[in-house]
Amino acid sequence: MLYMEISTWEPEKRDLILEHFKELKMPAGVKVHDQWIDLTGSRYFILYECDDAEAFAKFNLPWSDVCYIETVPVMKSTEFISLMSRKS
């Protein structure tokens, strides 16, 4: 499944976030498509695939003490339209 995550943090946690990024290792089962940083310095966006709950947890839990994570399952709009067309 494809996920878009938006992580936000308080400005005073910036140094902790930087340390987390330095130590970031993607667990097996997580395939990153792309990542972006908000130029204001308080948000991080990542698009990745993951079909394994354990890998999902290994990737997200280490961040739970320093930021808020909003996870949204997504798909390309063309795939969504095709899927919905078949259901009609």
Coordinates of all heavy atoms in Angstrom, one line a residue:
M1 N 0.8 -1.2 0.0 CA 0.0 0.0 0.0 C 0.9 1.2 0.0 O 2.0 1.2 0.6 CB -0.9 0.0 1.2 CG -1.8 1.2 1.3 SD -3.3 0.8 2.3 CE -4.5 0.8 1.0
L2 N 0.4 2.3 -0.6 CA 1.2 3.5 -0.8 C 0.7 4.5 0.3 O -0.5 4.7 0.5 CB 0.9 4.1 -2.2 CG 1.8 5.3 -2.6 CD1 3.2 4.9 -2.7 CD2 1.3 5.7 -4.0
Y3 N 1.6 5.1 1.0 CA 1.3 6.1 2.1 C 1.9 7.4 1.9 O 3.1 7.5 1.4 CB 1.7 5.6 3.4 CG 1.1 4.3 3.9 CD1 1.7 3.1 3.7 CD2 -0.2 4.4 4.5 CE1 1.1 1.9 4.1 CE2 -0.8 3.2 4.9 CZ -0.2 2.0 4.7 OH -0.8 0.8 5.1
M4 N 1.2 8.5 2.2 CA 1.8 9.8 2.3 C 1.7 10.2 3.7 O 0.7 10.1 4.4 CB 1.0 10.8 1.5 CG 1.3 12.3 1.7 SD 3.0 12.7 1.3 CE 2.9 12.9 -0.5
E5 N 2.9 10.6 4.3 CA 2.9 11.0 5.7 C 3.4 12.4 5.8 O 4.3 12.8 5.0 CB 3.9 10.1 6.5 CG 3.3 8.8 6.8 CD 4.1 8.0 7.8 OE1 5.2 8.3 8.1 OE2 3.5 6.9 8.2
I6 N 2.8 13.1 6.7 CA 3.2 14.5 7.0 C 3.6 14.5 8.5 O 2.7 14.2 9.4 CB 2.1 15.5 6.8 CG1 1.6 15.4 5.3 CG2 2.5 16.9 7.1 CD1 0.3 16.1 5.0
S7 N 4.8 14.8 8.8 CA 5.3 14.8 10.1 C 5.5 16.3 10.5 O 6.1 17.1 9.7 CB 6.6 14.1 10.3 OG 6.4 12.7 10.0
T8 N 5.0 16.7 11.6 CA 5.2 18.1 12.1 C 5.8 18.1 13.5 O 5.6 17.1 14.3 CB 3.9 18.9 12.1 OG1 3.0 18.2 13.0 CG2 3.3 19.0 10.8
W9 N 6.5 19.1 13.8 CA 7.2 19.2 15.2 C 7.2 20.6 15.6 O 7.1 21.6 14.8 CB 8.5 18.6 15.1 CG 9.5 19.1 14.1 CD1 10.3 20.2 14.2 CD2 9.6 18.6 12.8 NE1 11.0 20.4 13.0 CE2 10.6 19.5 12.1 CE3 9.1 17.6 12.1 CZ2 11.0 19.3 10.8 CZ3 9.5 17.4 10.8 CH2 10.5 18.2 10.2
E10 N 7.4 20.8 16.9 CA 7.5 22.1 17.5 C 8.9 22.6 17.2 O 9.9 21.8 17.2 CB 7.3 22.0 19.0 CG 6.0 21.4 19.4 CD 4.8 22.2 19.0 OE1 4.9 23.5 18.9 OE2 3.7 21.6 18.7
P11 N 9.1 23.9 17.0 CA 10.4 24.4 16.7 C 11.5 24.1 17.7 O 12.7 23.8 17.3 CB 10.2 26.0 16.7 CG 8.7 26.1 16.4 CD 8.1 24.9 17.0
E12 N 11.2 24.0 19.0 CA 12.2 23.7 20.0 C 12.7 22.2 19.9 O 13.7 21.8 20.5 CB 11.7 24.0 21.4 CG 10.5 23.2 21.8 CD 9.1 23.8 21.5 OE1 9.1 24.9 20.8 OE2 8.1 23.3 21.9
K13 N 12.0 21.4 19.1 CA 12.4 20.0 18.9 C 13.3 19.8 17.7 O 13.6 18.7 17.3 CB 11.2 19.1 18.9 CG 10.5 19.0 20.2 CD 9.5 17.9 20.3 CE 9.0 17.8 21.7 NZ 8.1 16.7 21.8
R14 N 13.6 20.9 17.0 CA 14.4 20.8 15.8 C 15.7 20.0 15.9 O 16.0 19.1 15.1 CB 14.7 22.2 15.3 CG 15.5 22.2 13.9 CD 16.2 23.5 13.7 NE 17.2 23.6 14.7 CZ 18.0 24.6 14.8 NH1 18.0 25.6 13.9 NH2 18.9 24.6 15.7
D15 N 16.4 20.2 17.0 CA 17.7 19.4 17.1 C 17.4 17.9 17.3 O 18.2 17.1 16.8 CB 18.5 20.0 18.3 CG 19.0 21.4 18.0 OD1 19.0 21.8 16.8 OD2 19.4 22.1 18.9
L16 N 16.4 17.6 18.0 CA 16.0 16.2 18.2 C 15.6 15.6 16.8 O 16.0 14.4 16.5 CB 14.9 16.0 19.2 CG 15.2 16.2 20.6 CD1 13.9 16.3 21.5 CD2 16.1 15.2 21.1
I17 N 14.9 16.3 16.0 CA 14.5 15.8 14.7 C 15.7 15.6 13.9 O 15.9 14.6 13.2 CB 13.5 16.8 14.0 CG1 12.2 16.9 14.8 CG2 13.3 16.5 12.6 CD1 11.4 15.7 14.7
L18 N 16.7 16.5 13.9 CA 17.9 16.4 13.1 C 18.7 15.1 13.5 O 19.2 14.4 12.7 CB 18.8 17.6 13.2 CG 18.3 18.9 12.5 CD1 19.1 20.1 12.9 CD2 18.2 18.7 11.0
E19 N 18.7 14.8 14.8 CA 19.4 13.6 15.3 C 18.7 12.4 14.8 O 19.3 11.4 14.4 CB 19.5 13.6 16.8 CG 20.5 14.6 17.4 CD 21.9 14.5 16.8 OE1 22.4 13.3 16.7 OE2 22.5 15.5 16.3
H20 N 17.4 12.4 14.8 CA 16.6 11.3 14.3 C 16.9 11.0 12.8 O 17.0 9.9 12.4 CB 15.1 11.5 14.5 CG 14.5 11.0 15.8 ND1 15.0 11.5 17.0 CD2 13.6 10.1 16.1 CE1 14.3 10.9 18.0 NE2 13.5 10.0 17.5
F21 N 16.9 12.1 12.1 CA 17.2 12.0 10.6 C 18.6 11.4 10.4 O 18.8 10.5 9.5 CB 17.1 13.3 9.9 CG 15.7 13.6 9.4 CD1 15.0 14.7 9.9 CD2 15.1 12.8 8.4 CE1 13.8 15.0 9.5 CE2 13.9 13.1 8.0 CZ 13.2 14.2 8.5
K22 N 19.6 11.8 11.2 CA 20.9 11.2 11.0 C 21.0 9.7 11.3 O 21.8 9.0 10.7 CB 21.9 11.9 12.0 CG 22.2 13.4 11.6 CD 23.1 14.0 12.6 CE 23.3 15.5 12.3 NZ 24.1 16.2 13.4
E23 N 20.1 9.2 12.2 CA 20.1 7.8 12.5 C 19.1 7.0 11.7 O 18.9 5.8 11.9 CB 19.8 7.7 14.0 CG 20.9 8.3 14.9 CD 20.5 8.4 16.4 OE1 19.5 7.7 16.8 OE2 21.2 9.0 17.1
L24 N 18.3 7.7 10.8 CA 17.2 7.0 10.1 C 17.7 5.9 9.2 O 18.6 6.1 8.4 CB 16.5 8.1 9.3 CG 15.4 7.6 8.4 CD1 14.2 7.0 9.3 CD2 14.8 8.7 7.5
K25 N 17.2 4.7 9.4 CA 17.4 3.6 8.6 C 16.0 3.0 8.3 O 15.2 2.7 9.1 CB 18.2 2.5 9.3 CG 19.6 3.0 9.6 CD 20.4 1.9 10.4 CE 21.8 2.4 10.6 NZ 22.1 2.7 12.0
M26 N 15.8 2.8 7.0 CA 14.5 2.3 6.5 C 14.5 0.8 6.8 O 15.4 0.1 6.4 CB 14.3 2.5 5.1 CG 14.1 3.9 4.7 SD 12.6 4.6 5.5 CE 12.9 6.3 5.3
P27 N 13.5 0.3 7.5 CA 13.4 -1.1 7.8 C 13.0 -1.9 6.5 O 12.5 -1.3 5.6 CB 12.2 -1.2 8.8 CG 11.4 0.0 8.7 CD 12.4 1.1 8.2
A28 N 13.4 -3.1 6.5 CA 13.0 -4.0 5.3 C 11.5 -3.9 5.2 O 10.8 -4.0 6.3 CB 13.5 -5.4 5.5
G29 N 10.9 -3.8 4.0 CA 9.5 -3.7 3.9 C 9.0 -2.3 3.6 O 7.8 -2.2 3.3
V30 N 9.8 -1.3 3.8 CA 9.5 0.1 3.5 C 10.2 0.5 2.3 O 11.5 0.5 2.3 CB 9.7 1.0 4.7 CG1 9.5 2.4 4.4 CG2 8.9 0.6 5.9
K31 N 9.5 0.9 1.2 CA 10.2 1.4 0.0 C 9.8 2.9 -0.2 O 8.6 3.2 -0.4 CB 9.7 0.6 -1.2 CG 10.3 1.1 -2.5 CD 9.7 0.3 -3.7 CE 10.3 0.9 -5.0 NZ 9.6 0.4 -6.1
V32 N 10.8 3.7 0.0 CA 10.5 5.2 -0.1 C 10.5 5.6 -1.6 O 11.4 5.2 -2.3 CB 11.6 6.0 0.7 CG1 11.5 7.4 0.5 CG2 11.6 5.6 2.1
H33 N 9.5 6.3 -2.0 CA 9.4 6.9 -3.3 C 10.0 8.3 -3.4 O 10.7 8.6 -4.3 CB 8.0 6.9 -3.8 CG 7.4 5.6 -4.1 ND1 7.4 5.0 -5.4 CD2 6.8 4.7 -3.3 CE1 6.9 3.8 -5.3 NE2 6.5 3.6 -4.1
D34 N 9.7 9.1 -2.4 CA 10.3 10.4 -2.4 C 10.1 11.1 -1.0 O 9.2 10.6 -0.2 CB 9.8 11.3 -3.5 CG 10.8 12.3 -4.0 OD1 11.8 12.6 -3.3 OD2 10.6 12.7 -5.2
Q35 N 10.9 12.1 -0.7 CA 10.8 12.8 0.6 C 11.0 14.3 0.3 O 11.7 14.7 -0.6 CB 11.9 12.4 1.6 CG 11.9 10.9 1.8 CD 13.1 10.5 2.6 OE1 13.3 10.8 3.7 NE2 14.0 9.8 1.9
W36 N 10.3 15.1 1.1 CA 10.4 16.6 1.0 C 10.4 17.2 2.4 O 9.8 16.7 3.3 CB 9.3 17.2 0.3 CG 9.0 16.6 -1.1 CD1 9.6 17.0 -2.3 CD2 8.2 15.5 -1.4 NE1 9.1 16.2 -3.3 CE2 8.3 15.3 -2.8 CE3 7.4 14.6 -0.7 CZ2 7.6 14.3 -3.5 CZ3 6.7 13.6 -1.3 CH2 6.8 13.4 -2.7
I37 N 11.1 18.3 2.5 CA 11.1 19.1 3.8 C 10.5 20.5 3.5 O 10.9 21.1 2.5 CB 12.6 19.3 4.3 CG1 13.2 18.0 4.7 CG2 12.6 20.3 5.5 CD1 12.7 17.4 5.9
D38 N 9.6 20.9 4.3 CA 9.0 22.2 4.3 C 10.1 23.2 4.6 O 10.9 23.1 5.5 CB 7.9 22.3 5.3 CG 7.2 23.6 5.4 OD1 7.7 24.6 4.8 OD2 6.2 23.7 6.0
L39 N 10.3 24.2 3.7 CA 11.4 25.1 3.9 C 11.3 26.0 5.1 O 12.2 26.7 5.5 CB 11.5 26.0 2.6 CG 11.9 25.2 1.3 CD1 12.0 26.2 0.1 CD2 13.2 24.5 1.5
T40 N 10.1 26.0 5.8 CA 10.0 26.7 7.0 C 10.7 25.9 8.2 O 10.9 26.4 9.3 CB 8.5 27.0 7.4 OG1 7.9 25.8 7.6 CG2 7.8 27.8 6.3
G41 N 10.9 24.6 7.9 CA 11.7 23.8 8.8 C 10.9 23.1 9.9 O 11.4 22.6 10.8
S42 N 9.6 22.9 9.7 CA 8.8 22.3 10.7 C 7.9 21.1 10.2 O 7.1 20.6 11.0 CB 8.0 23.3 11.5 OG 7.0 23.9 10.6
R43 N 8.1 20.8 8.9 CA 7.3 19.7 8.4 C 8.1 18.8 7.4 O 9.0 19.3 6.8 CB 6.1 20.2 7.6 CG 5.0 20.7 8.5 CD 3.7 21.0 7.7 NE 4.0 22.0 6.7 CZ 3.0 22.5 5.9 NH1 1.8 22.0 6.0 NH2 3.3 23.4 5.0
Y44 N 7.8 17.6 7.4 CA 8.5 16.6 6.6 C 7.4 15.8 5.9 O 6.4 15.3 6.5 CB 9.4 15.7 7.5 CG 9.9 14.5 6.9 CD1 10.9 14.5 5.9 CD2 9.5 13.2 7.3 CE1 11.4 13.3 5.4 CE2 10.0 12.0 6.8 CZ 11.0 12.1 5.8 OH 11.5 10.9 5.3
F45 N 7.6 15.6 4.6 CA 6.6 14.8 3.8 C 7.4 13.6 3.2 O 8.5 13.7 2.7 CB 6.1 15.6 2.6 CG 5.4 16.9 3.0 CD1 6.2 18.0 3.3 CD2 4.1 17.0 3.2 CE1 5.6 19.2 3.7 CE2 3.5 18.2 3.6 CZ 4.3 19.3 3.9
I46 N 6.7 12.4 3.3 CA 7.3 11.2 2.7 C 6.3 10.4 2.0 O 5.2 10.3 2.5 CB 8.1 10.4 3.7 CG1 8.8 9.2 3.1 CG2 7.2 10.0 4.9 CD1 9.8 8.5 4.0
L47 N 6.6 9.9 0.8 CA 5.7 9.0 0.1 C 6.4 7.7 0.0 O 7.6 7.6 -0.4 CB 5.5 9.5 -1.3 CG 4.6 8.7 -2.2 CD1 3.1 8.7 -1.7 CD2 4.6 9.3 -3.7
Y48 N 5.8 6.6 0.6 CA 6.4 5.3 0.6 C 5.4 4.2 0.5 O 4.2 4.4 0.7 CB 7.2 5.1 1.9 CG 6.5 5.1 3.2 CD1 6.1 3.9 3.7 CD2 6.1 6.2 3.8 CE1 5.4 3.8 4.9 CE2 5.4 6.2 5.0 CZ 5.0 5.0 5.6 OH 4.3 4.9 6.7
E49 N 5.9 3.0 0.2 CA 5.1 1.8 0.1 C 5.4 0.9 1.3 O 6.6 0.8 1.7 CB 5.4 1.0 -1.2 CG 4.8 1.5 -2.4 CD 5.1 0.6 -3.6 OE1 4.6 -0.5 -3.7 OE2 5.9 1.1 -4.5
C50 N 4.4 0.2 1.8 CA 4.6 -0.7 2.9 C 3.4 -1.6 3.0 O 2.3 -1.1 3.1 CB 4.8 0.0 4.2 SG 5.2 -1.0 5.6
D51 N 3.6 -2.9 3.0 CA 2.5 -3.9 3.1 C 2.6 -4.7 4.4 O 1.9 -5.7 4.6 CB 2.5 -4.8 1.9 CG 2.1 -4.1 0.7 OD1 1.2 -3.2 0.7 OD2 2.7 -4.4 -0.4
D52 N 3.6 -4.3 5.3 CA 3.9 -5.1 6.5 C 3.7 -4.2 7.7 O 4.3 -3.2 7.9 CB 5.3 -5.6 6.4 CG 5.7 -6.4 7.6 OD1 4.9 -7.2 8.1 OD2 6.9 -6.2 8.0
A53 N 2.8 -4.6 8.6 CA 2.5 -3.8 9.8 C 3.7 -3.7 10.7 O 3.9 -2.6 11.3 CB 1.3 -4.5 10.6
E54 N 4.5 -4.7 10.8 CA 5.7 -4.6 11.6 C 6.7 -3.6 11.1 O 7.3 -2.8 11.8 CB 6.4 -6.0 11.7 CG 7.6 -6.0 12.7 CD 8.2 -7.4 12.9 OE1 7.5 -8.4 12.5 OE2 9.3 -7.5 13.4
A55 N 6.9 -3.6 9.8 CA 7.8 -2.6 9.1 C 7.3 -1.2 9.3 O 8.0 -0.3 9.6 CB 8.0 -2.9 7.7
F56 N 5.9 -1.1 9.2 CA 5.3 0.2 9.4 C 5.6 0.7 10.8 O 6.0 1.9 11.0 CB 3.8 0.1 9.1 CG 3.0 1.3 9.3 CD1 2.8 2.2 8.2 CD2 2.4 1.6 10.5 CE1 2.1 3.4 8.3 CE2 1.7 2.8 10.6 CZ 1.5 3.7 9.5
A57 N 5.4 -0.1 11.8 CA 5.6 0.2 13.2 C 7.1 0.6 13.4 O 7.4 1.6 14.1 CB 5.2 -0.9 14.1
K58 N 8.0 -0.2 12.9 CA 9.5 0.0 13.0 C 9.9 1.4 12.5 O 10.8 2.0 13.0 CB 10.3 -1.1 12.4 CG 10.3 -2.4 13.2 CD 11.2 -3.4 12.5 CE 11.3 -4.7 13.3 NZ 12.1 -5.7 12.7
F59 N 9.2 1.7 11.4 CA 9.5 3.0 10.8 C 8.9 4.2 11.5 O 9.6 5.2 11.7 CB 9.0 3.0 9.3 CG 9.2 4.3 8.6 CD1 10.5 4.8 8.4 CD2 8.2 5.1 8.1 CE1 10.7 6.0 7.8 CE2 8.4 6.3 7.5 CZ 9.7 6.8 7.3
N60 N 7.7 4.1 12.1 CA 7.0 5.2 12.7 C 7.3 5.4 14.2 O 7.3 6.5 14.7 CB 5.5 5.2 12.4 CG 5.3 5.6 11.0 OD1 5.4 6.8 10.7 ND2 4.9 4.7 10.1
L61 N 7.3 4.3 14.9 CA 7.4 4.4 16.4 C 8.6 5.2 16.9 O 8.4 5.9 17.9 CB 7.3 3.0 17.0 CG 5.9 2.4 16.9 CD1 6.0 1.0 17.5 CD2 4.9 3.2 17.6
P62 N 9.8 5.1 16.3 CA 10.9 5.9 16.8 C 10.7 7.4 16.8 O 11.4 8.1 17.5 CB 12.1 5.4 15.9 CG 11.7 4.1 15.4 CD 10.2 4.1 15.3
W63 N 9.7 7.8 16.0 CA 9.5 9.3 15.8 C 8.4 9.8 16.8 O 8.2 11.0 16.9 CB 9.1 9.6 14.4 CG 10.1 9.3 13.4 CD1 10.4 8.2 12.7 CD2 11.1 10.2 13.0 NE1 11.5 8.3 11.9 CE2 12.0 9.6 12.0 CE3 11.4 11.6 13.2 CZ2 13.0 10.2 11.4 CZ3 12.5 12.2 12.6 CH2 13.3 11.5 11.7
S64 N 7.7 8.9 17.4 CA 6.5 9.3 18.2 C 6.8 10.1 19.4 O 5.9 10.8 19.9 CB 5.7 8.0 18.6 OG 6.5 7.2 19.5
D65 N 8.1 10.2 19.8 CA 8.4 11.0 20.9 C 8.8 12.5 20.5 O 8.9 13.3 21.4 CB 9.5 10.4 21.8 CG 10.8 10.2 21.0 OD1 10.7 10.1 19.8 OD2 11.9 10.2 21.6
V66 N 9.0 12.7 19.3 CA 9.5 14.0 18.8 C 8.6 14.8 17.8 O 8.8 16.0 17.6 CB 10.9 14.0 18.3 CG1 11.9 13.5 19.3 CG2 11.0 13.1 17.1
C67 N 7.6 14.1 17.2 CA 6.8 14.7 16.3 C 5.4 14.1 16.2 O 5.2 13.0 16.7 CB 7.4 14.8 14.9 SG 7.7 13.2 14.1
Y68 N 4.5 14.8 15.5 CA 3.2 14.2 15.2 C 3.2 13.7 13.7 O 3.8 14.4 12.9 CB 2.1 15.4 15.3 CG 2.2 16.1 16.6 CD1 2.8 17.3 16.7 CD2 1.6 15.5 17.7 CE1 2.8 18.0 17.9 CE2 1.7 16.2 18.9 CZ 2.3 17.4 19.0 OH 2.3 18.1 20.2
I69 N 2.6 12.5 13.5 CA 2.7 11.9 12.2 C 1.2 11.7 11.7 O 0.4 11.1 12.4 CB 3.4 10.6 12.2 CG1 4.8 10.8 12.7 CG2 3.4 9.9 10.9 CD1 5.6 9.5 12.9
E70 N 0.9 12.3 10.6 CA -0.4 12.1 9.9 C -0.1 11.1 8.8 O 0.6 11.5 7.9 CB -1.0 13.4 9.5 CG -2.3 13.2 8.8 CD -2.8 14.6 8.2 OE1 -2.2 15.6 8.4 OE2 -3.9 14.5 7.6
T71 N -0.7 10.0 8.8 CA -0.5 9.0 7.7 C -1.8 8.8 6.9 O -2.9 8.6 7.5 CB -0.2 7.6 8.4 OG1 0.9 7.7 9.2 CG2 0.1 6.6 7.3
V72 N -1.6 8.9 5.6 CA -2.8 8.9 4.7 C -2.5 7.8 3.6 O -1.5 8.0 2.9 CB -3.0 10.3 4.0 CG1 -4.2 10.2 3.1 CG2 -3.2 11.4 5.0
P73 N -3.3 6.8 3.5 CA -3.2 5.9 2.4 C -3.6 6.5 1.1 O -4.6 7.2 1.1 CB -4.1 4.7 2.7 CG -5.0 5.2 3.8 CD -4.4 6.4 4.4
V74 N -2.8 6.4 0.1 CA -3.1 7.1 -1.2 C -2.9 6.2 -2.4 O -2.2 5.1 -2.3 CB -2.2 8.4 -1.4 CG1 -2.5 9.4 -0.3 CG2 -0.7 8.0 -1.4
M75 N -3.4 6.6 -3.5 CA -3.1 5.9 -4.8 C -3.2 7.0 -5.9 O -3.8 8.1 -5.7 CB -4.1 4.8 -5.1 CG -5.5 5.2 -5.3 SD -6.6 3.8 -5.9 CE -6.1 2.4 -4.9
K76 N -2.6 6.7 -7.0 CA -2.7 7.6 -8.2 C -4.1 7.8 -8.6 O -4.9 6.8 -8.5 CB -1.9 7.1 -9.3 CG -0.4 7.1 -9.1 CD 0.4 6.7 -10.3 CE 1.9 6.7 -10.1 NZ 2.6 6.4 -11.3
S77 N -4.5 9.0 -9.0 CA -5.9 9.3 -9.3 C -6.3 8.4 -10.5 O -7.5 7.9 -10.5 CB -6.1 10.7 -9.6 OG -5.2 11.1 -10.7
T78 N -5.5 8.1 -11.4 CA -5.9 7.2 -12.6 C -6.2 5.8 -12.1 O -7.2 5.2 -12.6 CB -4.8 7.2 -13.6 OG1 -3.5 6.8 -13.0 CG2 -4.6 8.5 -14.3
E79 N -5.5 5.3 -11.1 CA -5.8 4.0 -10.5 C -7.1 4.0 -9.8 O -7.9 3.1 -9.9 CB -4.7 3.6 -9.6 CG -3.4 3.3 -10.3 CD -2.2 3.0 -9.3 OE1 -2.5 2.8 -8.1 OE2 -1.1 2.9 -9.8
F80 N -7.3 5.1 -9.1 CA -8.6 5.2 -8.3 C -9.8 5.3 -9.3 O -10.8 4.6 -9.0 CB -8.5 6.5 -7.4 CG -9.8 6.7 -6.6 CD1 -10.1 5.9 -5.5 CD2 -10.7 7.6 -7.0 CE1 -11.2 6.1 -4.8 CE2 -11.9 7.8 -6.3 CZ -12.1 7.1 -5.2
I81 N -9.7 6.1 -10.3 CA -10.8 6.2 -11.3 C -11.0 4.8 -11.9 O -12.2 4.4 -12.1 CB -10.5 7.3 -12.3 CG1 -10.5 8.6 -11.7 CG2 -11.4 7.2 -13.5 CD1 -9.9 9.8 -12.5
S82 N -10.0 4.1 -12.3 CA -10.1 2.8 -12.9 C -10.8 1.8 -11.9 O -11.7 1.1 -12.2 CB -8.8 2.2 -13.3 OG -8.9 0.9 -13.8
L83 N -10.4 1.8 -10.6 CA -11.0 1.0 -9.6 C -12.5 1.3 -9.4 O -13.3 0.4 -9.4 CB -10.3 1.2 -8.3 CG -10.8 0.4 -7.1 CD1 -10.6 -1.1 -7.3 CD2 -10.1 0.9 -5.8
M84 N -12.8 2.6 -9.4 CA -14.2 3.0 -9.1 C -15.1 2.7 -10.4 O -16.2 2.4 -10.3 CB -14.3 4.4 -8.8 CG -13.6 4.8 -7.5 SD -14.0 3.7 -6.1 CE -15.8 4.1 -5.8
S85 N -14.5 2.7 -11.6 CA -15.2 2.4 -12.8 C -15.6 1.0 -12.9 O -16.6 0.6 -13.3 CB -14.3 2.8 -14.0 OG -14.1 4.2 -14.1
R86 N -14.7 0.1 -12.4 CA -15.0 -1.3 -12.4 C -16.1 -1.7 -11.4 O -16.8 -2.7 -11.6 CB -13.8 -2.1 -12.0 CG -12.7 -2.1 -13.1 CD -11.6 -3.1 -12.8 NE -11.0 -2.6 -11.5 CZ -9.7 -2.5 -11.4 NH1 -8.9 -2.7 -12.3 NH2 -9.2 -2.1 -10.2
K87 N -16.3 -0.9 -10.3 CA -17.3 -1.2 -9.3 C -18.7 -0.8 -9.8 O -19.7 -1.2 -9.2 CB -17.0 -0.5 -8.0 CG -15.7 -1.1 -7.4 CD -15.7 -0.7 -5.9 CE -14.4 -1.3 -5.3 NZ -14.7 -2.5 -4.6
S88 N -18.8 0.0 -10.8 CA -20.1 0.5 -11.3 C -20.8 -0.5 -12.1 O -20.3 -1.4 -12.7 CB -19.9 1.7 -12.2 OG -19.2 2.7 -11.5

